[in-house]
Structures are given as C-alpha cells and as structure tokens.
Amino acid sequence: FNADVVACERFCEIRGENVRVCGYPNFKFVEKPTLVSDDLAERALELNKKNFVYAPWSKFIYRNFLLEKKLRFLNMMGEDALLTWCLVCSAERYVRIPNVTYLYRIHDQSQFNRKDDVLKVINKWMNALTQGFKYLDDFLNKIKFFQTHLDAKYLVLDALVKEFTAYFIPIYAQVPAYQLDITIRQELESAKNKTGLMAFLFSRMNVLSVNLIQREQMIQQLQQTKS
C-alpha cells in the first residue's frame, strides 16, 4: 500500500500466565488490510465516532512522514489519542490491518494502574484539554482542507473534547462543587492561548442547551399524545 501509517487493530494481552488476543470493545474491526478513504471529511466523521484505534503502539509509522509533519508527543495525558487524530488527519495513505503484532503485558505497578488523588486527575486532564486542544487546532489550521472545511475541523476538535472530558464524569460526584470550580479556574487561568478552547466550549454548551430544550419539547408532545 506504500502507506504512511499502518494501524494494527488487535493485540495480545498478557496478565501473568493468562494470554489472549483481544481488541477494543464495540469496535468494528477490519478482516483484511484496508486502505482508509482519503476523503478527510469522511475521516473526520469516523474520528468523531471513535472508529479509529488511538493507541500509538498499535501503529507502524513511516519515519519520513513523521519528520515532514513535525509530529511529536506532548508531555500530557491523552497524548496517544492526540497523535492518532493528527495521523488520521494528515496521512495520505492510512491502512488498517487485522494482524496481531503487539504484546501488551499488564502488571500492578505500571503507570496506568496507579491511582492518583481525584483533584490531581482533574488537573492532569484539564491540562491535557487546554494543551491538546491548542496543539490539534494549530495542526489542523496548517492543512488546507481544514482551513476551508470548518465543519470537518469542528468534528475532529469535538472528538478530542468528548474523549478528554469523559474522564471528568466519574469524578464530579466525588468532589465538592466549589473545589471543582477552584481547580478548573486555576488550570484555565494558567493556560496560554486558550481562546479557541473557550470559544468551542461556549458554542458546545449552547448547542447542548438547545438539544435539551428540543428533547423536553418532544417529551411533552409525547405525553400529551399519550394522555
């Protein structure tokens, strides 16, 4: 395929003596090597639907392509997903394969399994949200397609915001509201060039408000019809 990126969608998980071939739940795997469409609008939509494997260890990436696009990891949570969004949005030839090529060995002392204080977790993901949004926004702004197709750009940025904010949901019930407010304020105040993120969040908040109003109206209409 002369690919820039080859994504392996299954992996071998090892826990002590237990070994199994697995993949991400509720994911539609390919059954043979498949070249992804070069339509960036279609890719943006599939990214928003989480139809790409995020883990960078699941990929072979052409070195010259990485150097040309100046892609790098940021020192933050979620850097794996961030790199994948950039790969999907810039690779000319992106191939998905069913082959198992990675051995994932799990142990209790790994960084992934360590549990942090909930406020530290919020700080980490707020930092990831502010840093990651700016990096991805700047990256997409350099691609001609996304300069002229803002709807597709929105879908990619929306994928990042949905993925990162999902980690806050289980935490909200564990921390008093005033502490959340203080923590989030501090992180946003320290973030540089956060205008794009704030504009996005304000827009998203209003879209959600409109959707809630429409759903309430639909519920009322159904109740009236039923009565």
Side-chain angles (χ1 to χ4, degrees):
F1 290 99
N2 192 29
D4 297 310
V5 181
V6 177
C8 316
E9 297 183 337
R10 292 183 176 90
F11 58 92
C12 185
E13 182 183 276
I14 304 171
R15 291 176 181 265
E17 298 299 319
N18 297 320
V19 180
R20 66 178 183 134
V21 173
C22 56
Y24 294 95
N26 304 317
F27 187 86
K28 188 176 181 180
F29 299 97
V30 294
E31 298 302 324
K32 63 180 180 178
T34 303
L35 183 64
V36 173
S37 168
D38 61 0
D39 184 341
L40 289 180
E42 184 179 330
R43 289 192 190 182
L45 181 60
E46 293 302 306
L47 268 177
N48 197 268
K49 293 179 179 179
K50 298 184 69 171
N51 287 337
F52 285 93
V53 173
Y54 290 161
W57 45 256
S58 68
K59 299 172 181 65
F60 297 104
I61 307 170
Y62 189 47
R63 182 175 182 274
N64 287 351
F65 165 74
L66 278 177
L67 295 175
E68 177 192 340
K69 300 301 179 182
K70 298 179 180 178
L71 285 166
R72 61 187 177 86
F73 282 116
L74 296 187
N75 184 22
M76 57 171 236
M77 302 288 283
E79 78 284 2
D80 49 357
L82 180 61
L83 180 71
T84 295
W85 289 314
C86 292
L87 292 174
V88 172
C89 291
S90 60
E92 198 169 320
R93 299 176 71 79
Y94 191 107
V95 175
R96 298 168 56 189
I97 65 173
N99 308 60
V100 177
T101 60
Y102 187 81
L103 305 182
Y104 182 32
R105 194 178 302 277
I106 301 173
H107 59 91
D108 294 337
Q109 299 305 312
S110 69
Q111 184 67 35
F112 183 81
N113 286 305
R114 292 178 188 171
K115 302 300 181 184
D116 283 330
D117 174 81
V118 288
L119 287 178
K120 286 184 179 179
V121 173
I122 292 175
N123 273 322
K124 286 180 179 180
W125 282 107
M126 278 301 304
N127 179 263
L129 182 60
T130 52
Q131 273 199 79
F133 189 95
K134 183 181 185 309
Y135 183 88
L136 185 57
D137 191 32
D138 290 344
F139 185 83
L140 296 176
N141 285 338
K142 296 173 186 175
I143 301 174
K144 188 174 180 180
F145 174 84
F146 291 105
Q147 293 171 4
T148 55
H149 294 76
L150 299 181
D151 53 340
K153 178 185 171 185
Y154 181 93
L155 284 174
V156 180
L157 293 172
D158 186 56
L160 179 147
V161 173
K162 285 194 297 188
E163 182 71 16
F164 286 6
T165 54
Y167 292 93
F168 291 88
I169 295 172
I171 295 172
Y172 266 75
Q174 303 176 41
V175 182
Y178 78 91
Q179 278 190 314
L180 286 169
D181 183 71
I182 292 171
T183 302
I184 293 172
R185 280 173 183 263
Q186 288 174 343
E187 190 58 50
L188 287 176
E189 286 172 359
S190 65
K192 297 179 180 179
N193 301 317
K194 58 181 179 292
T195 307
L197 174 62
M198 298 305 293
F200 180 94
L201 293 177
F202 183 80
S203 172
R204 181 118 184 267
M205 179 186 69
N206 282 287
V207 169
L208 291 173
S209 297
V210 170
N211 288 342
L212 284 172
I213 292 170
Q214 291 175 342
R215 288 183 183 183
E216 287 176 0
Q217 291 173 344
M218 289 175 62
I219 290 171
Q220 289 176 2
Q221 290 174 357
L222 288 170
Q223 288 175 337
Q224 290 173 359
T225 303
K226 187 178 179 180
S227 59

